[in-house]
């Protein structure tokens, strides 16, 4: 198994909170694509964007176990969906202990 995680802030970059149905849509997607997940509801952090904007976030950390390395592209597709659906400039992910900040465009080549 390959442990992955992604952090999804509670609000978009304009401070707009997400609704229960937004979280439900994400969680159903994770169950459908990967069979399940674990979730830490309140992970606090901060980061500075390339444009110099300082973001203070409280996020949900979703932990997903992949059954093979071949599932990494599906995980990255999900990350892209999350960035768009949850209106993020970038999000923090971890794949097998390797952290990364992934922005709106993912190049997996």
């Amino acid at each position: 198994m390959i442990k992955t995680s992604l952090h999804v802030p509670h609000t978009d970059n304009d401070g707009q909170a997400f609704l229960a149905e937004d979280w439900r849509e994400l969680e159903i997607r994770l169950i459908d694509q990967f069979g399940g997940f674990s979730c830490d509801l309140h992970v606090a952090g901060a980061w500075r964007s390339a444009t110099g904007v300082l973001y203070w976030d409280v996020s949900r950390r979703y932990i997903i176990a992949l059954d093979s390395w071949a599932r990494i592209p599906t995980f990255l597709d999900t990350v892209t969906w999350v960035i768009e659906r949850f209106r993020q400039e970038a999000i923090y992910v971890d794949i097998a202990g390797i952290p990364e900040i992934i922005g709106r465009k993912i190049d997996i080549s």
Side-chain angles (χ1 to χ4, degrees):
M1 303 286 283
I2 299 95
K3 181 181 176 182
T4 64
S5 68
L6 63 134
H7 291 211
V8 184
H10 290 186
T11 63
D12 67 14
N13 291 328
D14 295 324
Q16 180 75 29
F18 299 109
L19 304 174
E21 48 266 19
D22 297 319
W23 297 109
R24 178 88 170 147
E25 182 180 3
L26 169 58
E27 292 170 356
I28 293 298
R29 185 179 183 101
L30 295 176
I31 292 167
D32 289 348
Q33 290 185 338
F34 306 108
F37 64 88
S38 294
C39 184
D40 294 325
L41 292 177
H42 300 285
V43 178
W47 70 286
R48 187 177 307 277
S49 73
T51 60
V53 176
L54 182 59
Y55 292 95
W56 295 89
D57 292 325
V58 176
S59 299
R60 291 186 182 194
R61 179 176 56 186
Y62 287 93
I63 301 164
I64 302 109
L66 306 181
D67 56 6
S68 76
W69 290 101
R71 302 284 287 147
I72 298 294
T74 303
F75 175 74
L76 293 174
D77 287 344
T78 299
V79 170
T80 299
W81 179 86
V82 167
I83 289 168
E84 294 300 321
R85 177 67 180 81
F86 285 81
R87 302 180 302 279
Q88 297 299 306
E89 183 176 325
I91 61 171
Y92 175 90
V93 301
D94 182 300
I95 300 172
I98 301 170
E100 186 69 48
I101 303 293
I102 297 183
R104 289 195 173 267
K105 295 187 181 187
I106 296 175
D107 181 2
I108 59 172
S109 56

